[in-house]
Amino acid sequence: KLKFMAAFNQVRDNFINVFRSLFNEEDSCDLILSDTANPLDADIDIIARPKGKRPLSINQLSRGEKTLTATALLFSLYLLKPAPFCIFDEVDAPLDDTNIDKFNNIVRKFSSDSQFIIVSHNKRTIASTDIIYGVTMVEQGISRVVAVDMREVAA
């Protein structure tokens, strides 16, 4: 119980910090245990309130806001115990350009400690990477992987 509460409190603090870095400093969020007397059996409520909105449920947020909230939660867990690899599959699809830039910035920030593999069709996300791997079909039924190291191209 003590270990869970210590981890929960750390994730909660991380969530608030990461959420505000993805949204704005004025925005509020929280992780709340439904039963603090029995934390191991309690539900965890995710509260996300971007500035100017007061949703009663996370379902009232836009797809982009839900994506950024989920990303904030994932990174708050990541900060508890960083992993050597993180894989994202088209998480940037529901984001507009401004929020894609916020997502890319946070990935860039955390990429000093982990490698990120991001599946994306978004040009802004692709442009922000170090190495791009593309899969192309040279002829019917034969695929080929093409790698471009953007660091070499920039130099």
Side-chain angles (χ1 to χ4, degrees):
K1 185 175 174 178
L2 290 175
K3 277 186 164 184
F4 174 81
M5 286 308 298
F8 175 80
N9 289 326
Q10 183 62 51
V11 168
R12 181 179 175 265
D13 291 342
N14 293 342
F15 179 62
I16 292 168
N17 292 330
V18 174
F19 183 88
R20 288 183 176 160
S21 73
L22 287 171
F23 286 88
N24 294 305
E25 284 297 318
E26 303 87 35
D27 296 332
S28 65
C29 69
D30 208 349
L31 297 177
I32 300 172
L33 287 173
S34 63
D35 183 4
T36 55
N38 294 316
L40 300 179
D41 294 323
D43 292 335
I44 299 174
D45 293 322
I46 301 168
I47 309 298
R49 292 191 178 114
K51 187 177 177 186
K53 289 190 172 186
R54 293 291 168 236
L56 299 175
S57 160
I58 201 162
N59 293 327
Q60 293 176 320
L61 297 176
S62 70
R63 284 181 59 213
E65 290 166 336
K66 287 178 192 176
T67 298
L68 287 182
T69 301
T71 301
L73 184 59
L74 288 172
F75 276 112
S76 66
L77 292 166
Y78 164 86
L79 285 168
L80 185 66
K81 187 173 181 182
F85 289 96
C86 293
I87 301 172
F88 290 119
D89 187 4
E90 296 193 44
V91 295
D92 58 355
L95 301 177
D96 60 17
D97 287 348
T98 301
N99 289 329
I100 284 174
D101 290 341
K102 289 178 182 179
F103 171 77
N104 290 336
N105 288 338
I106 201 164
V107 168
R108 176 71 60 196
K109 177 181 171 184
F110 288 109
S111 66
S112 61
D113 298 319
S114 296
Q115 276 193 313
F116 287 85
I117 299 169
I118 302 172
V119 177
S120 179
H121 295 279
N122 185 282
K123 292 176 185 175
R124 292 175 93 88
T125 299
I126 293 169
S128 74
T129 62
D130 291 332
I131 301 174
I132 300 170
Y133 292 98
V135 179
T136 183
M137 192 176 292
V138 184
E139 55 186 90
Q140 189 63 32
I142 300 174
S143 297
R144 187 177 75 165
V145 176
V146 178
V148 177
D149 190 331
M150 297 303 285
R151 298 167 294 192
E152 290 176 7
V153 173

